[in-house]
Amino acid sequence: MDPTPALLEIRGLAKSFPGVKALDRVDFTLRAGEIHALLGENGAGKSTLIKVMTGVHRRDGGEVRLDGVAIDPADTADAQRHGIGTVYQEVNLLPNLTVAENLFLGRQPTRLGFVDGRRMRRDAAALLAEYGLAVDPDSVLGEHSVAVQQIVAIARAVDLSGKVLVLDEPTASLDAGEVQVLFQTVRRLAARGIGVVFVTHFLDQVFEICDRATVLRNGRLVGERRIAELSRLDLVTMMLGRELAEETMIRHRGTRTAAEPFLSLAGYGRRAFVQPLDLEIRPGEVVGVAGLLGSGRTETAKLVFGVKEADSGSATVDGRRVRIASPRAAAALGFGFCPEDRKTEGIVGDLGVRENIVLALQARRGWLRPIPRREAEAIAARFVRLLDIRTSDVDKPIRLLSGGNQQKALLARWLATEPRFLILDEPTRGIDVGAHAEIIRLIEKLCDDGLALMVISSEIDEIVAYSDRVVVMRDRAKVGELAGADVSVEGIVRAIAGEARP
Amino acid sequence: MNARHLPLLATIGVFLVAYALATLQFPNMASTRVVANLLTDNAFVGVAAVGATFVILSGGIDLSVGAVIAFTGVFLAVTIRAGLDPIAAFVLVLAITTAFGAVMGAMIHQLETPPFIVTLAGMFFARGACFLLTTDSVPIDHPTFAAIASWSWKIPSGGRLTLVGVVMLVTFVIGAVVAHRTRFGTAVYALGGNRQSAELMGVPVGRTTVAIYALSGFLSGLAGIVFALYTSAGYSLSATGVELDTIAAVVIGGTLLTGGVGTVAGTFVGVLIQGLIQTYVIFDGTLSSWWTKIVIGALLFAFILMQRGLLAAAARRRENARAGARVAAA
Amino acid sequence: EDKLTIGFSQIGSESGWRAAETSVSKIEAEKRGIDLKIADAQQKQENQIKAIRNFIAQGVDAIFVAPVVATGWDDVLAEAKDAEIPVVLLDRTIDTKDDSLYLTAVTSDTVHEGAVAGEWLAKTVGDKPCNIVELQGTVGSSPAINRKKGFDEAIASHANLKIIRSQTGDFTRTKGKEVMESFIKAENGGKNICAVYAHNDDMQIGAIQAIKEAGLKPGTDILMVSIDAVPDIFKAMSEGEANATVELTPNMAGPAFDVIAAYKKDGTMPPKWIQTESRLYLPDTAKEEYERRKGLGY
Amino acid sequence: MTLARNLRGVGGALPQILTLAVVLAANWAVFPDFFDLRLQDGRLFGSLVDVLNRGAPVAILSIGMTLVIATRGVDLSVGAVMAIAGAVAATLAADGQPIFLVIGAALAAGLACGLWNGFLVAVLDIQPIIATLILMVTGRGIAQLVTEGQIVTFTDPALAAVAASSAFGLPMPVVIAVALALVAALLVRATALGLMIEAIGVNRLASAYAGVDARGVLMAAYATSGVAAAVAGLVVTADIRGADANNAGLWLELDAILAVVIGGTSLFGGRFSILLSLVGALVIQALNTGILLSGYPPEMNLIVKAVVITVILVLQSPAVRRLATFLKRSDAP
Ligand SMILES: Nc1ncnc2c1ncn2[C@@H]1O[C@H](COP(=O)(O)OP(=O)(O)OP(=O)(O)O)[C@@H](O)[C@H]1O
Ligand SMILES: Nc1ncnc2c1ncn2[C@@H]1O[C@H](COP(=O)(O)OP(=O)(O)OP(=O)(O)O)[C@@H](O)[C@H]1O
Ligand SMILES: [Mg+2]
Ligand SMILES: [Mg+2]
């Protein structure tokens, strides 16, 4: 049937966790030199498949063959020895080590038994240069933005993959340019005969570089298709098990500019963090924030939310001067913030889904007024339903949820506080197409009810789709603001590039 | 300048400033004799603290240090009294303490239990083993042993650099090289940074854990030998609470107790700072038992505050410098 | 200037007796116009060695040490000898082959103290069988070892005296009380126990409370003998709750000052061991002894 | 639903309860009268009561320690704070001050110590182990300063009653420990404090981003620990009718931490249970009492303790628990 021989062959793979059958007799075939998309809704079992395959979890049953030989990696080091390089979904590097150490951990070049620091730095710089990243290999990884860390993780995995490269949502916070660099690398590897497994929720990317797709749903295999023989609609239908109405791409910008601003910032900034900027946000309005990697979008969000206090300018909420000294103060003003780095800044891993959802609401009420158990259950149940959070149990520790479902729970955390102003930093990171549509619909409804929204996204299309206005950042400074007809992909790209508007 | 080295520099700065201040008050403190004493007297704590640095860098803790030091001394005293050659006794006891550490490491890894209790049990065990060997304090008098113990080099103006002091210095140098220049060292940092990530990146977590505690056991044993050379005796109640001294030295030296961040050199300064506090209190000599405690605590607090202050100032300067560079670029 | 400066490396302040020794030393130094520098070692030998080294570096006229342990002093005392600073051992002696390392030792004989306690008990009990429970000091500490040894030797020849239980009470009241409680439980509600021998008075005071709380009368139902002679035990004796204590005088420094003064004046060599008395105190003098000692800083 | 959840709660406590049962059974084996109880003057007497009574100070400490550890901290100063509180109480009582002042001053001293620790950890951001080490060293000095190095004894029966009296047939320290634990458990579970403590312990950054007042909660945890230590200090002072600044609570911080860990709270913060920490304290005391009753020579104490703790470790380790579930599962058809 297919001329290319199978490189990696998985048959009947099964894995259960308490309360969930994460993988139920799944088959998967990866051929040498192909780029193979692994698709499915949040919680479908994609990450689990990858983890079982690479020795993070022990499998309950099934078989994995690499080059026709059955393998059973006992741990990830074992998988690496087999030539499988992996980028796991959560950035799984070590923030306390340097960039170079992260790249070469466990295989540092040595001389006379000692790590050859100079060579390691040189190799690291060369490796990173391929991705256009000019960071100091000796700098501590944790100082860099999520995106930089992600590139480092990719570079490491690529360097490790002798036969198979596995990428679990590697592009979530990369901008278009970075994604192109990544794709070039992936294509180059594929041309060399390496098989690439690619998990993503961006269907455009699937159609752009993948040869084939395998779709999972609820831990079961739905099917394997060649991309060339597939339409977008087919693919979505396979993933969701139903058709998705395409109505989500409506946009509503320019409708509510008349209202009095909810929040206005004047000359608001912090030395060595964000240059002073002016910004107004009105109820019911969606303000997009666009910019390249490291342009200061995340910093702007943190400044507005009081994570770092501003040292210049003023902030006014509902016409009253306010001081936003801490997230607590911001939350008290009716702000909410879903951070980009969900693992370290978002989820409280060991606590249950319910507790994570009510945390912000509880914090705002104060510890003396506990949310009664029954009410908490009701809130959690409502959002689990509303956002379709897939969990076997609302008491399940949130770190055990799939990435996309964690993201939804974080959104629920702030929605539960009925905020008046919500800041979302890369909100759709890791969220599947179906849920994506649901969330956008939900946000639009909330905006209709008067919620103000600031959305940071690396997806310019997405920003264009729902923003009334777009703020463009460069070098930690606001360099432009687009409204009305100017809000277009082209307009934004121009502004980012620093060209004068026509 | 690398941000990683800031805590170390701050710690060294604090030490130098404090030493200078102390010399102003007691000019004698500037003598080479005091400096040499600082090395000799703190040698065993220093050696053990190198081990503690690795343990703490990996996110663990080792409470058995003091008890293992005592055990080593008692074991040496008893076996040498029974006729064993000191060198053979050294080798034997180091093998025992290394194995002891390795067993604790294996328990920590295999049973997935917190190092705190495993090493607490280890502390009880080692101290209890002393009592089983003998409850007396046993002098060690053997010509070879005495010869080793009395090795020292005269340095100008009265100080004596002793063998134990040199052993400590060498241990620190080797420790620093291992921590910063070997794959094992990086694995230790990786473990302390995030155990799970380290595992996903292919660090052999189990092997490394065992090796870390074995190393700590070995260095505790070496510290015990140093202590035995220092006192020429073995005594089951000696070195109580040394584990806290080592932990304090490590943490004062800028290592985070949560793991992953710190340096071996910092620990050395931490040990010196603690020694300086002791020396200062003794030089003063007017303090009652309780004021001694209060002053030690207060000085500890002052050191930590100074360190924080310096770090904060440095961070601010860096930030401003960066801002300046940005403005210049704009 | 002929004012003497003496450095005193004290163990710590782990017990009331130790605190008394420190304050008595200060009083005695003041009497003689001596500048006494006390370094508190917080119960650690290494701190004592550091202290001695620093005294040498400071160039004091003499060094007093109350050694926390018998061994391990040769090197540092040799340094003192090199610097020609005389050393006097207080309260305990040390284990060394070269006794020229120190000028003299002013100590009690802790083995003898145990023996005094044992002999008193043997005499008091007579021929009746008597089950003794023993509250030991800190395991491994030299007073605990010696006081046990002396007591054991004293009662060895009396077949009717038998130690039925022996546990450590760490020289503290709290532990003394806890251990005594368990002895009472283990020995038929205390009915099997004829006497309590405690290695120090503090543990004995704890034991007295435990016995009272179990509904027995210490001093009457159970004989109580201990060592140290701190004020509180005299109070207990005057109330009939304790029967005997052996004194360990806290004034070790006084004789030591005199030795140093004589030595500095004309090189008089003192005897190698100045033994303080281990006197037995009984309830008859308890009241006045209590009054006499109250203010001594116990 | 609720029943199932409660049952699961009990299931979570199984390792601790099993451990306690094993240690008690071992005590019974070395001392057959271990479970004998008798009533005298309306109060129970027996080894079991001794275990409760002697375990009370560590149990009380473990209440505060649980909260601190749950925030991912540790409080090494509790032993020293016990000494301070005891010294303050005994000195005032010896001075003839009224009992409410005596107890009030001791508790205030504990609260002040706790707030100081909290300040260092929450505001100055000093690592908990070092922050509390400062007070561990200094505190004992302060206590001795109060007593001037002496053992201060007092005769005030009202203060002595804190340890010597009884209620509900049990010694007062036991009643105090249980009451305090219930109050603390209620305080954290009937309010949202417990949730916030756990949230901070698991991920302080994320909790702060969610608007949790991390500083306030940390202060509350350390303050509770300080007050609990003061209560424990009162108990031991009342017990021996005197304050021994040098030895009161010496090394009890290790026992308290051990109790919390045996009780199943992770030293890496997060989920905690005050009541299980009490069980942990009981395990430790049962072990100590068992050693005393066994009649082994004291040289053996530490070895026995080490062996028993090792056995407990093995019993409670997740690895062994997994093995047990595995065996159970493979038994099932
Ligand atoms: N360690 C674990 N313990 C318990 N349940 C788990 C564990 N890991 C994953 N699960 C569950 O397994 C299911 C599959 O999760 P998985 O992470 O594989 O989803 P995914 O397809 O990668 O989703 P996403 O697109 O959101 O990343 C989910 O229901 C999740 O809650
Ligand atoms: N390509 C790069 N090379 C060097 N440093 C970079 C690069 N990209 C980002 N950085 C650094 O990362 C830091 C964090 O940037 P920030 O988090 O504000 O980015 P952002 O605009 O939110 O973008 P994103 O969230 O997509 O990373 C910046 O200080 C910048 O110095
Ligand atoms: Mg996933
Ligand atoms: Mg960002």
Side-chain angles (χ1 to χ4, degrees):
Chain A
M1 213 176 52
D2 214 307
T4 351
L7 171 66
L8 183 75
E9 229 184 333
I10 292 175
R11 290 288 165 266
L13 200 64
K15 176 74 193 174
S16 294
F17 296 111
V20 234
K21 209 160 202 180
L23 293 176
D24 188 3
R25 282 161 298 164
V26 171
D27 298 340
F28 177 77
T29 309
L30 179 70
R31 294 152 192 90
E34 78 171 353
I35 303 172
H36 195 136
L38 182 59
L39 304 174
E41 288 176 285
N42 294 133
K46 305 178 293 290
S47 298
T48 306
L49 175 68
I50 288 166
K51 287 184 178 168
V52 172
M53 181 174 103
T54 55
V56 179
H57 294 315
R58 295 257 82 161
R59 58 187 180 233
D60 296 343
E63 199 185 30
V64 179
R65 288 174 170 275
L66 185 65
D67 279 336
V69 183
I71 59 164
D72 185 9
D75 52 32
T76 48
D78 211 9
Q80 286 174 13
R81 273 190 294 276
H82 281 112
I84 307 177
T86 313
V87 175
Y88 296 96
Q89 184 171 11
E90 303 299 337
V91 176
N92 268 302
L93 297 178
L94 293 156
N96 60 318
L97 299 186
T98 64
V99 170
E101 282 168 339
N102 267 292
L103 284 171
F104 293 105
L105 184 65
R107 57 196 181 98
Q108 299 100 319
T110 55
R111 222 173 53 198
L112 307 171
F114 295 109
V115 173
D116 184 349
R118 197 169 314 149
R119 204 172 118 209
M120 185 167 82
R121 277 190 293 276
R122 213 177 43 225
D123 293 357
L127 204 57
L128 292 175
E130 286 181 40
Y131 297 85
L133 203 57
V135 298
D136 174 9
D138 244 357
S139 57
V140 177
L141 184 80
E143 289 176 357
H144 298 286
S145 70
V146 178
V148 172
Q149 299 191 23
Q150 208 152 35
I151 296 171
V152 174
I154 293 168
R156 175 184 160 88
V158 168
D159 206 37
L160 271 169
S161 52
K163 286 178 183 158
V164 178
L165 173 65
V166 185
L167 301 170
D168 194 349
E169 295 193 36
T171 56
S173 50
L174 301 190
D175 66 29
E178 296 291 342
V179 170
Q180 283 315 316
V181 174
L182 172 66
F183 283 180
Q184 278 164 23
T185 311
V186 167
R187 285 201 188 97
R188 210 169 52 229
L189 291 175
R192 280 206 334 242
I194 289 175
V196 179
V197 181
F198 187 61
V199 179
T200 184
H201 291 293
F202 297 115
L203 296 189
D204 292 345
Q205 296 177 353
V206 174
F207 284 96
E208 187 179 341
I209 68 159
C210 294
D211 305 314
R212 212 180 287 266
T214 293
V215 178
L216 300 180
R217 191 163 63 227
N218 289 329
R220 292 217 181 81
L221 177 68
V222 177
E224 192 206 77
R225 298 283 189 283
R226 288 178 67 99
I227 295 293
E229 299 158 1
L230 208 59
S231 77
R232 239 183 126 89
L233 197 60
D234 295 338
L235 194 55
V236 172
T237 310
M238 270 178 91
M239 285 164 63
L240 303 187
R242 62 188 155 88
E243 285 190 20
L244 180 73
E246 278 278 346
E247 72 199 51
T248 54
M249 291 294 166
I250 54 155
R251 58 195 200 184
H252 66 158
R253 76 175 126 88
T255 44
R256 282 177 214 82
T257 39
E260 279 299 303
F262 167 72
L263 169 72
S264 44
L265 305 173
Y268 205 67
R270 183 184 163 93
R271 212 171 139 72
F273 196 64
V274 177
Q275 308 270 327
L277 52 80
D278 298 335
L279 186 64
E280 284 191 344
I281 295 176
R282 294 179 181 76
E285 191 184 35
V286 180
V287 174
V289 181
L292 295 179
L293 273 190
S295 55
R297 295 164 300 171
T298 297
E299 271 103 333
T300 305
K302 288 185 174 173
L303 188 75
V304 174
F305 195 62
V307 172
K308 287 265 173 84
E309 201 184 344
D311 58 9
S312 67
S314 64
T316 319
V317 168
D318 282 338
R320 259 182 314 112
R321 268 293 281 272
V322 292
R323 196 177 142 217
I324 314 170
S326 65
R328 234 166 98 67
L333 291 169
F335 293 16
F337 174 44
C338 289
E340 176 182 17
D341 187 352
R342 76 171 158 245
K343 195 164 142 192
T344 59
E345 296 174 344
I347 62 167
V348 181
D350 285 342
L351 294 194
V353 177
R354 173 173 46 81
E355 289 157 307
N356 268 283
I357 290 178
V358 300
L359 189 62
L361 182 61
Q362 180 64 69
R364 196 155 82 187
R365 284 198 192 175
W367 62 274
L368 274 174
R369 288 174 50 217
I371 299 169
R373 176 70 173 239
R374 197 181 301 264
E375 194 187 332
E377 299 271 3
I379 294 172
R382 194 172 106 228
F383 284 104
V384 164
R385 196 163 14 84
L386 199 61
L387 300 177
D388 190 22
I389 298 172
R390 305 278 171 90
T391 174
S392 50
D393 177 354
V394 286
D395 280 329
K396 183 165 175 164
I398 195 169
R399 70 184 151 80
L400 300 181
L401 258 56
S402 80
N405 284 307
Q406 292 178 5
Q407 190 72 25
K408 293 189 221 165
L410 288 182
L411 187 61
R413 173 189 289 174
W414 286 107
L415 292 180
T417 66
E418 297 176 0
R420 298 191 51 204
F421 171 46
L422 197 53
I423 306 167
L424 306 175
D425 195 352
E426 309 284 358
T428 48
R429 183 170 176 212
I431 288 186
D432 69 48
V433 270
H436 196 162
E438 293 296 326
I439 288 173
I440 288 180
R441 230 192 323 267
L442 180 76
I443 286 173
E444 305 219 312
K445 195 178 139 293
L446 290 169
C447 286
D448 287 341
D449 298 343
L451 175 76
L453 209 59
M454 177 165 142
V455 185
I456 298 168
S457 175
S458 299
E459 292 297 294
I460 295 179
D461 288 341
E462 201 176 288
I463 290 192
V464 170
Y466 49 61
S467 300
D468 296 301
R469 269 185 303 134
V470 176
V471 169
V472 179
M473 303 288 301
R474 194 184 332 123
D475 285 341
R476 294 162 188 254
K478 177 175 159 185
V479 293
E481 189 171 318
L482 311 175
D486 290 341
V487 177
S488 64
V489 174
E490 201 204 330
I492 294 174
V493 169
R494 268 223 199 108
I496 290 175
E499 286 171 29
R501 262 180 291 161
Chain B
M1 187 177 54
N2 198 325
R4 263 174 141 186
H5 299 139
L6 267 180
L8 176 61
L9 293 177
T11 316
I12 294 176
V14 167
F15 173 73
L16 293 179
V17 169
Y19 202 105
L21 288 178
T23 343
L24 282 185
Q25 198 180 345
F26 304 109
N28 263 353
M29 276 188 67
S31 71
T32 56
R33 195 186 275 260
V34 173
V35 176
N37 284 354
L38 212 50
L39 295 181
T40 307
D41 293 334
N42 295 295
F44 74 100
V45 178
V47 171
V50 175
T53 310
F54 281 89
V55 171
I56 292 176
L57 278 176
S58 79
I61 199 161
D62 188 352
L63 296 179
S64 72
V65 170
V68 172
I69 291 175
F71 170 81
T72 306
V74 171
F75 182 87
L76 289 177
V78 170
T79 51
I80 293 175
R81 186 174 62 182
L84 195 64
D85 181 73
I87 303 297
F90 288 169
V91 173
L92 192 59
V93 81
L94 285 177
I96 293 173
T97 59
T98 308
F100 182 71
V103 169
M104 290 197 296
M107 280 180 67
I108 289 164
H109 178 71
Q110 295 296 338
L111 299 179
E112 294 168 46
T113 37
F116 187 93
I117 0 187
V118 173
T119 58
L120 185 68
M123 160 175 151
F124 290 151
F125 191 85
R127 192 71 72 180
C130 294
F131 294 147
L132 292 191
L133 285 175
T134 176
T135 54
D136 288 319
S137 68
V138 181
I140 304 175
D141 44 35
H142 187 285
T144 322
F145 191 88
I148 300 173
S150 58
W151 247 334
S152 67
W153 293 268
K154 281 234 155 39
I155 45 181
S157 67
R160 279 200 298 177
L161 185 59
T162 53
L163 178 73
V164 293
V166 173
V167 168
M168 170 177 76
L169 293 176
V170 170
T171 309
F172 267 107
V173 171
I174 295 178
V177 170
V178 172
H180 307 299
R181 297 294 305 277
T182 65
R183 288 183 181 176
F184 168 72
T186 316
V188 172
Y189 279 87
L191 233 59
N194 184 332
R195 201 183 180 79
Q196 236 178 338
S197 297
E199 202 159 6
L200 287 181
M201 289 174 78
V203 172
V205 172
R207 226 173 48 207
T208 310
T209 306
V210 172
I212 288 166
Y213 286 88
L215 179 66
S216 179
F218 172 82
L219 287 174
S220 299
L222 187 60
I225 294 178
V226 166
F227 192 73
L229 289 169
Y230 182 54
T231 61
S232 295
Y235 179 42
S236 50
L237 290 181
S238 58
T240 44
V242 168
E243 50 282 347
L244 280 182
D245 294 341
T246 58
I247 293 167
V250 171
V251 176
I252 293 171
T255 298
L256 290 189
L257 205 68
T258 40
V261 178
T263 54
V264 172
T267 301
F268 179 62
V269 187
V271 171
L272 290 185
I273 285 178
Q274 284 192 313
L276 183 66
I277 292 178
Q278 293 277 353
T279 309
Y280 177 82
V281 167
I282 293 167
F283 259 80
D284 181 88
T286 57
L287 299 176
S288 62
S289 184
W290 39 98
W291 278 111
T292 304
K293 295 189 179 90
I294 295 173
V295 169
I296 290 177
L299 288 175
L300 193 61
F301 180 54
F303 273 110
I304 288 163
L305 270 193
M306 281 210 277
Q307 200 181 27
R308 296 246 113 203
L310 276 182
L311 278 178
R316 230 179 354 250
R317 264 225 321 278
R318 266 167 67 87
E319 224 174 58
N320 287 345
R322 228 168 39 173
R326 229 168 260 280
V327 173
Chain C
E1 210 193 311
D2 56 355
K3 191 172 173 182
L4 286 179
T5 302
I6 294 178
F8 176 19
S9 169
Q10 174 62 296
I11 294 180
S13 56
E14 71 282 2
S15 66
W17 184 89
R18 186 64 64 191
E21 186 190 34
T22 307
S23 49
V24 170
S25 306
K26 279 190 204 150
I27 294 168
E28 296 287 323
E30 212 157 304
K31 265 194 218 160
R32 296 169 171 80
I34 289 171
D35 183 11
L36 185 67
K37 284 183 172 251
I38 300 182
D40 182 290
Q42 317 278 337
Q43 283 89 19
K44 290 186 180 174
Q45 181 181 25
E46 55 272 26
N47 288 350
Q48 291 202 294
I49 295 177
K50 281 178 213 175
I52 296 171
R53 289 233 162 86
N54 279 304
F55 288 144
I56 298 171
Q58 286 178 49
V60 295
D61 297 307
I63 295 173
F64 291 0
V65 196
V68 65
V69 52
T71 49
W73 301 100
D74 291 15
D75 282 349
V76 68
L77 293 191
E79 279 178 40
K81 195 178 165 191
D82 285 349
E84 296 179 351
I85 299 173
V87 173
V88 178
L89 307 176
L90 298 189
D91 156 43
R92 290 176 200 172
T93 179
I94 60 169
D95 218 336
T96 179
K97 279 202 295 231
D98 177 8
D99 62 8
S100 72
L101 289 178
Y102 59 91
L103 190 64
T104 180
V106 183
T107 75
S108 73
D109 181 344
T110 37
V111 179
H112 181 60
E113 289 163 2
V116 172
E119 280 153 19
W120 172 83
L121 189 62
K123 206 172 84 210
T124 310
V125 173
D127 296 334
K128 280 179 293 177
C130 182
N131 288 334
I132 304 161
V133 295
E134 180 183 31
L135 293 168
Q136 295 188 29
T138 306
V139 178
S141 68
S142 75
I145 294 168
N146 292 339
R147 287 173 182 174
K148 179 169 182 52
K149 186 163 162 238
F151 187 84
D152 286 348
E153 284 167 6
I155 64 167
S157 54
H158 301 268
N160 58 329
L161 300 184
K162 209 172 97 206
I163 295 180
I164 51 170
R165 274 178 187 265
S166 180
Q167 247 301 341
T168 172
D170 284 338
F171 284 131
T172 68
R173 293 190 185 193
T174 308
K175 286 284 283 180
K177 184 170 183 183
E178 179 180 351
V179 173
M180 192 64 213
E181 262 176 16
S182 72
F183 284 171
I184 293 170
K185 297 286 161 2
E187 296 300 334
N188 192 19
K191 294 190 193 76
N192 288 350
I193 303 173
C194 143
V196 181
Y197 166 49
H199 288 187
N200 81 348
D201 290 339
D202 282 335
M203 288 189 290
Q204 191 74 314
I205 289 162
I208 289 171
Q209 289 173 0
I211 295 170
K212 284 204 289 193
E213 281 171 21
L216 297 170
K217 286 206 183 65
T220 317
D221 297 338
I222 298 178
L223 292 172
M224 311 293 291
V225 55
S226 52
I227 299 173
D228 271 4
V230 302
D232 281 346
I233 200 75
F234 286 107
K235 196 152 148 236
M237 276 202 272
S238 65
E239 285 160 12
E241 292 174 343
N243 305 90
T245 186
V246 181
E247 179 175 41
L248 170 63
T249 175
N251 183 14
M252 307 265 178
F257 288 135
D258 298 339
V259 163
I260 291 295
Y263 176 76
K264 286 280 171 190
K265 199 164 131 228
D266 45 23
T268 314
M269 287 302 283
K272 212 66 222 180
W273 185 20
I274 302 173
Q275 192 185 351
T276 61
E277 201 182 352
S278 300
R279 235 177 99 188
L280 182 74
Y281 284 92
L282 297 173
D284 49 348
T285 56
K287 260 217 168 63
E288 56 218 64
E289 287 298 330
Y290 177 65
E291 293 303 326
R292 195 164 70 78
R293 281 155 205 265
K294 235 174 20 182
L296 268 188
Y298 275 97
Chain D
M1 183 78 181
T2 333
L3 182 69
R5 194 168 285 137
N6 281 340
L7 279 180
R8 206 161 32 173
V10 174
L14 205 60
Q16 283 76 25
I17 295 183
L18 212 66
T19 308
L20 183 61
V22 168
V23 175
L24 290 178
N27 283 0
W28 179 66
V30 295
F31 181 64
D33 294 342
F34 183 76
F35 289 108
D36 287 2
L37 285 177
R38 102 196 122 80
L39 202 64
Q40 179 186 314
D41 309 332
R43 196 198 126 168
L44 285 169
F45 280 88
S47 294
L48 209 53
V49 180
D50 283 354
V51 170
L52 295 174
N53 195 16
R54 292 290 148 216
V58 170
I60 294 169
L61 289 182
S62 74
I63 295 168
M65 191 67 83
T66 307
L67 301 189
V68 169
I69 288 181
T71 66
R72 206 168 199 180
V74 71
D75 188 351
L76 292 183
S77 72
V78 289
V81 175
M82 279 176 73
I84 294 178
V88 168
T91 314
L92 290 179
D95 241 24
Q97 301 292 341
I99 184 72
F100 67 87
L101 185 73
V102 169
I103 291 184
L107 294 183
L111 181 64
C113 290
L115 289 174
W116 163 258
N117 283 334
F119 173 74
L120 295 193
V121 172
V123 181
L124 297 187
D125 233 354
I126 297 176
Q127 298 194 53
I129 202 165
I130 280 291
T132 57
L133 182 74
I134 292 172
L135 191 57
M136 177 188 182
V137 177
T138 317
R140 215 162 268 291
I142 293 171
Q144 286 182 308
L145 189 67
V146 173
T147 62
E148 294 175 335
Q150 310 176 20
I151 298 181
V152 176
T153 52
F154 60 88
T155 46
D156 181 3
L159 181 52
V162 171
S165 60
S166 61
F168 314 109
L170 289 169
M172 195 50 97
V174 182
V175 178
I176 293 175
V178 171
L180 210 59
L182 290 179
V183 168
L186 207 68
L187 178 74
V188 295
R189 295 303 177 196
T191 69
L193 199 55
L195 173 66
M196 300 200 167
I197 286 175
E198 289 178 342
I200 287 178
V202 174
N203 190 340
R204 180 166 165 188
L205 194 62
S207 309
Y209 277 26
V212 175
D213 177 10
R215 281 187 182 173
V217 173
L218 282 173
M219 290 290 260
Y222 284 90
T224 311
S225 183
V227 172
V231 175
L234 278 171
V235 167
V236 299
T237 302
D239 182 41
I240 59 166
R241 293 179 171 74
D244 183 349
N246 215 322
N247 296 304
L250 197 60
W251 300 121
L252 280 201
E253 49 279 348
L254 287 186
D255 278 2
I257 297 169
L258 186 60
V260 174
V261 175
I262 293 178
T265 302
S266 160
L267 285 166
F268 292 112
R271 294 282 183 212
F272 69 92
S273 158
I274 290 178
L275 297 179
L276 286 184
S277 296
L278 292 199
V279 175
L282 279 187
V283 168
I284 296 173
Q285 188 55 43
L287 169 58
N288 287 335
T289 303
I291 288 174
L292 295 182
L293 289 170
S294 67
Y296 296 142
E299 293 80 31
M300 298 287 294
N301 291 2
L302 287 176
I303 292 275
V304 173
K305 225 170 156 171
V307 170
V308 175
I309 292 178
T310 309
V311 172
I312 292 175
L313 281 184
V314 174
L315 280 180
Q316 293 198 356
S317 74
V320 170
R321 233 180 296 169
R322 264 202 306 275
L323 187 71
T325 9
F326 175 76
L327 289 178
K328 217 161 44 199
R329 225 187 267 162
S330 52
D331 274 351

